Amino acid sequence: MKLNRRAFIGTGAAAAAALQAPMVWGATDGRPKVVVIGGGAGGATVARYLAKDSKGEIDVTLVEPSRQYYTCFFSNLYIGGFRDLSSIAHSYGTLAAEYGVNVVHDWATGVDRDAKTVTLAGGAVLPYDKLVLSPGIDFVDGAVPGWDVSAQNRMPHAYKAGSQTELLKAQIESMPEGGRFAMVAPPNPYRCPPGPYERVSMVAHLLSQINPTAKILIVDPKEKFSKQALFEEGWNSHYAGMIERIGPDFGGDKVEVDPGEMTVTIDGVVEKVDVCNVIPAQKAGRICEIAGVNDGNWAPVNGHTMVSRIDGNIHVLGDATNQGDMPKSGFSANSQAKVAAMAIRGELTGSKVFPAKFSNTCWSLIDADDGVKVGASYEATDEKISSVASFISQTGEDASLRKQTYEESLGWYAGITADMFG
Amino acid sequence: MKTGVPSVLAGLCLAIGAWVGAAAADEIGDAENGERIFRKCASCHQVGQGATHRVGPHLNGIFGRRAGTVDGYGKYSDGLLRAGNDGLIWSLEKLHAYLENPKYLVTGTRMNFAGLSDAQDRADVLAYLRQFSDNPANIPEAQPTAIAPEVELPPGILALVGDPEYGEYLASECTTCHQRDGSDQGIPSITGWPQEDFVIALHAYKRKIRPHPVMQAYAGRLTDDEIAALAAYFAGL
């Protein structure tokens, strides 16, 4: 039986079951090599599962520039005052010490798909048998006229957590009494669909305590947004009169900003603001473009294994992918990572391959003890990852259920971060 | 035409009567017999005028009440309180399920009771208890389909031997939320559960007997073999 790798990927579980002998490609110590780029919910998880489940049979290298990783999920809770920053910070020591992952703190700057090597900014060249790209998002140049990353200290995006989140919170805390916070919300698709609206809730919570006459303006190019009825119900009951949203019917899709003047211009009308949180349109992290696995702004993947539709030796995870019905979320990336780890391990060591199953739940906090959630379970088809069942919190739920939903999110945070970092 | 109406009603009464057994059409069971069966419950529960909480809460007004919410009773299990918050309301159907086997509805319930396997016994006890509930929504005629189907799992499902390797892969979906180390902050621990409890619980979510929407969605697409595989894996942790 002749087996090229493409055909192998295409036939999936049946072929893997038929294949008894481990397939091992050349590597200096004989072990197959997997290089993972990006140490977030997708990358850290896939590195950990590959190392753990292969019991050392696979040489796993994780390339991540940050020594300290701040989760984007729960970073809004830091803004609201419900978490401190250190509680959303994680490091990679356990992955290295307990799982044997080779953690390299550097930027990946090049991928040679023919030679199967990754080049790092520091000059090192890493050979791979399988490459996993999990770089998250970058911003589309020129998406919000007047804004680029050089303006991110005047108008933070805070959509990659850490110093940006800290900066945004400090700016909100020093707003003048009765001042105005503006958010330029992103168009679809983007990381964490309820994220901007949870952020507005958390900003409102903070302001209602320290600056209760302050106002919040959302400039939104989208007609509808995730959990809209739940957020709007919560804003009315907790923060009445504080939040105004301008959708596309009133020019929310025709926005430009002036970071020097601190103005937001909406369909020609200039608004002076005190803090401006610009969340621009998004695309796959830059390394996907460098590797040439994008089609448009995102990297298309086969949902059975998360393998790139452009290169059979590259898997792509999380926000960077175009996969079908799953939202861009940390939960999704973590879920996809386990499917990818199983598929990669099957190919490299001949371990059993099972059908892909995915899930996602996004919790959002509206005010203290007022948590809501939305989610679904998914399966892979040849065309895409498809939703098979979904659920969402209801308006009018009582306080004890909302509190329980919030407490569930705390449990999930502990669970997923342990699943990522060990 | 006037004479036709009673005969239709009589036919309906007969049908319902046959369906729930010997009970009359406007009853869910034989309350007198139920009072006798209730002696099994009375070591922990009181019901009727002057009933107070003992080991378990009193059962006055239980029909239509949200689980875990009776005033003044402070000994509910975490699982029962969670089920109440998830939306477990003591309808006739849920009470039937709970009396058949308390574990179907609540893993870790403190109601240490083997269950009433006979559907007629359950109906009779519930007919007795309903005399002490005055929630009009629970008049049986308002819930014509309320007589619960048996929730007991066929023995074949409980006897399935799971593949722990498959279970380990499937479990990776669970451990995003349920911490492998057994912590139960916000989300219950499932590590080290007896296999039977695990299988019963997941089937109860799959069949939407248990209320939690996330678990209903995740369990809803698991096959019997997959549930057995998960149970085998978590029991071995």
Side-chain angles (χ1 to χ4, degrees):
Chain A
M1 171 182 174
K2 241 189 152 168
L3 194 66
N4 73 38
R5 238 168 276 157
R6 274 299 171 89
F8 182 87
I9 289 157
T11 50
L19 187 78
Q20 292 305 317
M23 293 176 72
V24 179
W25 282 282
T28 46
D29 66 354
R31 292 189 299 163
K33 289 182 181 299
V34 176
V35 174
V36 180
I37 298 178
T45 306
V46 78
R48 178 169 164 271
Y49 273 78
L50 281 170
K52 169 173 79 75
D53 294 341
S54 76
K55 299 179 175 62
E57 275 188 68
I58 297 175
D59 178 1
V60 183
T61 299
L62 176 63
V63 180
E64 162 60 47
S66 311
R67 283 176 170 74
Q68 188 108 97
Y69 181 85
Y70 293 91
T71 56
C72 252
F73 42 96
F74 273 31
S75 65
N76 286 330
L77 273 61
Y78 158 73
I79 292 172
F82 295 94
R83 303 284 288 212
D84 56 33
L85 202 59
S86 64
S87 79
I88 61 166
H90 303 270
S91 61
Y92 298 91
T94 308
L95 286 182
E98 281 188 27
Y99 297 92
V101 174
N102 176 24
V103 181
V104 178
H105 293 299
D106 202 344
W107 282 94
T109 55
V111 174
D112 183 333
R113 282 164 38 193
D114 294 325
K116 295 208 283 180
T117 57
V118 173
T119 306
L120 305 183
V125 175
L126 305 173
Y128 65 80
D129 297 299
K130 294 285 173 188
L131 175 62
V132 182
L133 301 178
S134 190
I137 50 137
D138 272 313
F139 301 119
V140 173
D141 291 338
V144 177
W147 191 94
D148 62 39
V149 285
S150 71
Q152 70 174 15
N153 271 24
R154 294 279 295 169
M155 292 187 170
H157 54 78
Y159 232 58
K160 299 177 186 184
S163 56
Q164 275 277 301
T165 324
E166 236 178 324
L167 174 66
L168 182 64
K169 184 174 187 184
Q171 290 182 351
I172 296 163
E173 286 171 335
S174 50
M175 271 168 62
E177 194 182 329
R180 184 144 66 155
F181 169 94
M183 169 187 282
V184 178
N188 291 320
Y190 61 95
R191 160 178 285 181
C192 189
Y197 310 97
E198 180 187 58
R199 174 168 297 169
V200 163
S201 307
M202 292 295 93
V203 172
H205 175 82
L206 177 61
L207 288 174
S208 66
Q209 296 190 324
I210 61 171
N211 191 348
T213 56
K215 298 285 187 229
I216 295 173
L217 174 67
I218 309 167
V219 188
D220 203 332
K222 302 183 294 298
E223 279 182 23
K224 296 184 293 186
F225 60 89
S226 172
K227 302 182 197 166
Q228 183 162 0
L230 295 165
F231 280 116
E232 289 178 347
E233 176 194 51
W235 294 345
N236 280 330
S237 64
H238 300 298
Y239 315 116
M242 184 182 262
I243 300 165
E244 180 191 6
R245 176 172 170 269
I246 298 179
D249 40 351
F250 290 95
D253 55 342
K254 298 181 196 72
V255 63
E256 51 190 285
V257 297
D258 185 334
E261 296 295 319
M262 284 305 287
T263 58
V264 180
T265 304
I266 305 156
D267 203 12
V269 179
V270 180
E271 303 275 356
K272 182 91 177 116
V273 299
D274 299 291
V275 176
C276 188
N277 176 202
V278 176
I279 309 174
Q282 295 161 23
K283 61 181 182 180
R286 171 97 175 110
I287 194 70
C288 286
E289 216 171 307
I290 291 170
V293 295
N294 278 1
D295 179 5
N297 281 338
W298 309 101
V301 293
N302 174 337
H304 293 296
T305 58
M306 300 306 293
V307 74
S308 162
R309 292 197 189 270
I310 291 168
D311 186 321
N313 292 314
I314 298 180
H315 291 247
V316 192
L317 302 176
D319 295 352
T321 59
N322 176 5
Q323 35 67 24
D325 295 348
M326 296 183 81
K328 299 185 184 302
S329 73
F331 198 128
S332 293
N334 168 268
S335 177
Q336 293 160 10
K338 295 167 204 175
V339 169
M342 172 192 65
I344 291 169
R345 207 157 56 83
E347 274 199 73
L348 295 181
T349 71
S351 62
K352 269 200 230 171
V353 177
F354 303 106
K357 284 184 194 290
F358 304 94
S359 50
N360 176 68
T361 303
C362 291
W363 285 268
S364 301
L365 187 60
I366 300 177
D367 195 357
D369 290 332
D370 189 0
V372 292
K373 65 190 170 197
V374 61
S377 56
Y378 304 86
E379 285 172 2
T381 67
D382 291 342
E383 293 76 43
K384 63 169 189 171
I385 297 177
S386 289
S387 170
V388 290
S390 65
F391 52 86
I392 184 166
S393 296
Q394 302 298 304
T395 53
E397 287 172 344
D398 65 28
S400 60
L401 175 53
R402 291 296 178 86
K403 182 167 190 281
Q404 177 167 298
T405 302
Y406 171 59
E407 285 167 357
E408 254 176 32
S409 76
L410 301 178
W412 162 75
Y413 187 89
I416 192 173
T417 51
D419 207 38
M420 290 162 62
F421 299 105
Chain B
M1 284 309 290
K2 272 184 178 175
T3 53
V5 175
S7 75
V8 168
L9 274 181
L12 192 62
C13 290
L14 272 176
I16 294 171
W19 179 27
V20 298
D26 61 343
E27 291 292 344
I28 52 181
D30 177 352
E32 262 181 56
N33 190 43
E35 184 173 6
R36 278 192 293 277
I37 296 167
F38 186 76
R39 288 180 203 145
K40 293 183 182 179
C41 318
S43 56
C44 297
H45 291 287
Q46 292 188 350
V47 69
Q49 200 174 7
T52 57
H53 301 316
R54 292 178 59 191
V55 174
H58 76 67
L59 298 176
N60 293 344
I62 190 164
F63 279 74
R65 188 161 63 212
R66 179 177 281 224
T69 58
V70 72
D71 280 345
Y73 180 74
K75 290 183 278 190
Y76 289 114
S77 62
D78 289 347
L80 193 93
L81 291 171
R82 198 176 269 128
N85 283 332
D86 289 344
L88 176 59
I89 307 288
W90 289 126
S91 65
L92 186 61
E93 181 189 15
K94 300 296 183 193
L95 284 167
H96 250 286
Y98 200 54
L99 286 186
E100 185 177 346
N101 182 346
K103 286 179 177 178
Y104 285 128
L105 281 176
V106 184
T107 305
T109 177
R110 290 195 174 135
M111 185 159 114
N112 193 6
F113 180 61
L116 293 170
S117 57
D118 186 299
Q120 190 59 53
D121 285 355
R122 298 195 298 273
D124 291 350
V125 168
L126 291 171
Y128 171 65
L129 287 180
R130 198 175 69 83
Q131 297 175 343
F132 308 101
S133 287
D134 55 11
N135 187 334
N138 290 288
I139 293 169
E141 288 83 348
Q143 285 183 294
T145 59
I147 300 303
E150 300 276 321
V151 293
E152 185 78 47
L153 291 170
I157 286 183
L158 286 172
L160 282 175
V161 178
D163 170 2
E165 197 180 345
Y166 191 20
E168 183 172 13
Y169 162 65
L170 292 168
S172 69
E173 186 173 35
C174 313
T175 53
T176 301
C177 297
H178 296 276
Q179 292 174 70
R180 209 180 288 258
D181 68 6
S183 310
D184 64 352
Q185 177 198 22
I187 290 176
S189 166
I190 54 175
T191 295
W193 272 18
Q195 293 197 39
E196 184 173 324
D197 287 9
F198 200 102
V199 171
I200 283 172
L202 277 186
H203 280 281
Y205 285 119
K206 180 175 171 155
R207 296 158 72 190
K208 302 194 192 304
I209 296 168
R210 292 193 185 202
H212 198 277
V214 178
M215 286 307 305
Q216 286 181 356
Y218 292 175
R221 54 158 181 179
L222 292 173
T223 64
D224 296 348
D225 284 320
E226 287 171 340
I227 289 174
L230 278 166
Y233 173 72
F234 276 106
L237 278 186

